Amino acid sequence: MADAVIFDLDGVIVDSEPVWEEVRRAYVAAHGGTWQADTQRRLMGMSTGEWARYLSGELGVDRSAEQVAAEVVEEMTRRYAQRVPLIDGADEVVRQLARRWPLGLASSSPTRLIAAALAATGLTDAFGATLSTEETARGKPAPDVYLAVAERLGVEASRCVAVEDSSNGVRSAAAAGMTVVAVPHGAYPLDPDAERLAALVLGSVGELTPEAVDRLG
C-alpha cells in the first residue's frame, strides 16, 4: 500500500510541454541558435541550469546560460499570467487523491513557475511538499528531486507512487525506487526503456483513481 503520491507538474497537471517547446524554439531562433531534431526530448526533465547551459552551449545561442534562464523563464511567466494550460480533470484527480494520501510535487519547472501554476489552478494547498530541480544537484533522470520530496513528506521513497509523463521523469522516479505511473503525452511518447520501468501506463490522468493507486499495492 502506498504511503504517498508524488506528482510531476509539466505534462501531468499542466499541459505546458508544448508551451515550453514553443517558447524555447522561438528563443533559440531569435538568438542565433539551431534547434536539433532531438532537442525537445533531451530537454524534458532537465533542471533550469541544465537546459540553460544546453541552449547556450550545445545549440549555439548567443547568450550566457544565466541570461537564457532568466529570459526564457520570464517569457513562460508571462504566458502563465495569460493562461495556465490545466490538463482536463487533473485538478480533480489531485484533490481526490489528496483526501487519501499525502501528496508531493517533484518538478523540473523553476520555483516561481510552480508557484504560479499551483496558484492559478487552486492546488497550492493540496501538496505537502513541492520542489523544483533548481534546488537539487541534478535534474531528471537523476533521482534527486524525488528522493528529496519523499524525505520532506517523511515517507520512504519505496512507499511512494510517482506520476510522470516523460521518459526522463519515469527514469528519475524509478531510480528513486518508487512505483511509477506513466501518463505519456500524445506528442511525446515514452522511450521503450522508460515504458518498461512503469508499473502502470495510463491514457490520461483522469484514469488515475484512488482504486488504481490501491491496485499498485
Side-chain angles (χ1 to χ4, degrees):
M1 183 69 74
D3 290 341
V5 180
I6 302 177
F7 283 84
D8 176 36
L9 178 66
D10 296 289
V12 174
I13 297 170
V14 292
D15 190 17
S16 51
E17 293 296 0
V19 186
W20 274 110
E21 180 170 0
E22 186 182 318
V23 167
R24 289 192 289 214
R25 266 182 185 269
Y27 186 86
V28 168
H31 294 285
T34 305
W35 192 268
Q36 309 290 341
D38 66 343
T39 292
Q40 177 61 18
R41 187 176 62 78
R42 288 181 65 178
L43 289 171
M44 291 173 77
M46 282 189 189
S47 69
T48 307
E50 288 167 343
W51 62 250
R53 286 191 294 276
Y54 174 74
L55 265 60
S56 177
E58 302 266 329
L59 300 191
V61 166
D62 59 0
R63 311 287 264 193
S64 70
E66 291 73 22
Q67 287 171 315
V68 170
E71 290 163 0
V72 170
V73 171
E74 189 58 46
E75 176 61 14
M76 286 296 294
T77 305
R78 196 180 66 76
R79 296 287 191 101
Y80 273 22
Q82 295 170 344
R83 176 179 167 269
V84 171
L86 178 70
I87 290 173
D88 284 349
D91 51 344
E92 187 45 47
V93 167
V94 169
R95 290 194 185 96
Q96 199 175 26
L97 296 190
R99 295 185 198 112
R100 285 275 311 274
W101 292 279
L103 300 188
L105 191 77
S107 176
S108 300
S109 268
T111 304
R112 65 187 283 202
L113 275 187
I114 296 171
L118 294 183
T121 54
L123 292 174
T124 306
D125 295 341
F127 295 97
T130 65
L131 188 63
S132 165
T133 53
E134 274 188 334
E135 299 178 58
T136 61
R138 300 172 295 174
K140 303 172 184 178
D144 303 26
V145 70
Y146 276 102
L147 293 171
V149 170
E151 189 176 337
R152 289 183 180 198
L153 290 172
V155 177
E156 288 286 332
S158 62
R159 306 286 298 160
C160 296
V161 168
V163 188
E164 268 288 354
D165 68 303
S166 72
S167 295
N168 279 340
V170 169
R171 293 177 186 122
S172 170
M178 298 187 181
T179 302
V180 188
V181 176
V183 191
H185 191 289
Y188 312 110
L190 291 179
D191 295 333
D193 73 290
E195 190 162 348
R196 286 192 295 272
L197 292 172
L200 180 64
V201 179
L202 301 178
S204 74
V205 74
E207 297 171 28
L208 185 65
T209 61
E211 292 73 32
V213 176
D214 278 334
R215 281 197 296 273
L216 293 168

